[in-house]
Every structure is written in C-alpha cells, then in structure tokens.
Amino acid sequence: MTWPMGIVVRNKAKLVAKGYSQIEGIDYDETYAPVARLKAIRIFLAYAAHKNIIVHQMDVKSEILQGDLHEVVYLQQPPRFEDLSHPNHVYRLNKDVYGLKQSPRAWYETLSNFLVKSGYRRRTIDPTFFV
C-alpha cells in the first residue's frame, strides 16, 4: 500500500504460538520469567550512588528476542499459510517463538550466557543481577 505522499506502508507479521494450549508435563516442563527483585535494584542504586557511577536504563522487548530451545517443539501450520502439497506437516522449531511457555526461560538463558561470556558475573543476591 502506498500513501499519497509516496510513503510505502508494509504490514509486518510474526509467528505466534498458541501457548495457552500447551499442557505442563507434556508440552513443557518448566517456565521461568526473569524478574529483578526490588531489593537487588535498591542495592544496585545505593552502590552506584556511593561510587558515583552513572546509571543508564534500557528496556528490552522480550517478545522479539529468540533463545535456543533445548527440547523438541513442533508447531502446526498457521491458518491461511498451510502448505497445500503437505497439509499434515508441522514445523520443528530451533528457536523459541512468542507465545511458547518456554520462551522467557530460553531467551533469558541466551542473554545470561552472553553476559557471562562477556565478563559479567552473576551476583548471589539476585540471579538476574550481573556486575
């Protein structure tokens, strides 16, 4: 679609899993959503103020991050995007997609592995706190 001023508008779509249909113990074993505790944030800010460290804040949109899956996950072909020559085939996922119960744990593991390899150390006060 093109607007009168010549601006091209593109519709973007992403593959979303029906996570609400997953059954614990059959489709997934564990879920995990990394949340920083208020106590850890207070300690961090007090330490930064004591050492005169400039603190920057960054929001991360977790639904666009994709972590590696460690279990085998299959996904049905989305409606209106079925392969007519293979209607009974399914997708085998290598990376998580938005909507899976495993997604938050998978992307957090990918992020924390990257931070540890980059020289950050996980603190004992909070597993989501890296220095």
Side-chain angles (χ1 to χ4, degrees):
M1 174 179 187
T2 305
W3 290 89
M5 301 172 81
I7 300 171
V8 177
V9 177
R10 293 190 176 112
N11 295 327
K12 295 183 179 181
K14 61 182 169 184
L15 182 62
V16 177
K18 294 180 182 178
Y20 59 83
S21 66
Q22 290 182 286
I23 300 170
E24 186 174 6
I26 297 174
D27 298 317
Y28 68 96
D29 293 323
E30 178 185 2
T31 60
Y32 175 76
V35 178
R37 294 188 312 215
L38 188 57
K39 181 179 178 181
I41 294 170
R42 285 183 180 152
I43 291 171
F44 167 71
L45 292 175
Y47 181 76
H50 175 69
K51 296 287 187 177
N52 286 331
I53 298 172
I54 298 173
V55 177
H56 298 275
Q57 184 264 338
M58 177 181 76
D59 287 332
V60 177
K61 301 280 186 193
S62 63
E63 73 258 9
I64 63 168
L65 298 175
Q66 295 184 340
D68 296 323
L69 291 172
H70 297 293
E71 58 263 351
V72 178
V73 177
Y74 294 101
L75 190 65
Q76 290 179 339
Q77 295 182 34
R80 297 183 13 231
F81 291 96
E82 294 94 355
D83 183 358
L84 298 178
S85 58
H86 302 99
N88 295 326
H89 284 199
V90 294
Y91 297 119
R92 181 176 178 188
L93 301 177
N94 295 325
K95 301 246 181 209
D96 69 336
V97 295
Y98 186 70
L100 284 179
K101 300 284 187 183
Q102 300 94 321
S103 292
R105 180 175 45 90
W107 86 257
Y108 176 70
E109 184 177 328
T110 302
L111 175 66
S112 62
N113 288 340
F114 171 78
L115 291 173
V116 169
K117 286 179 186 175
S118 298
Y120 289 88
R121 294 185 323 266
R122 191 183 315 256
R123 305 312 291 178
T124 57
I125 188 77
D126 191 336
T128 63
F129 189 50
F130 292 85
V131 177

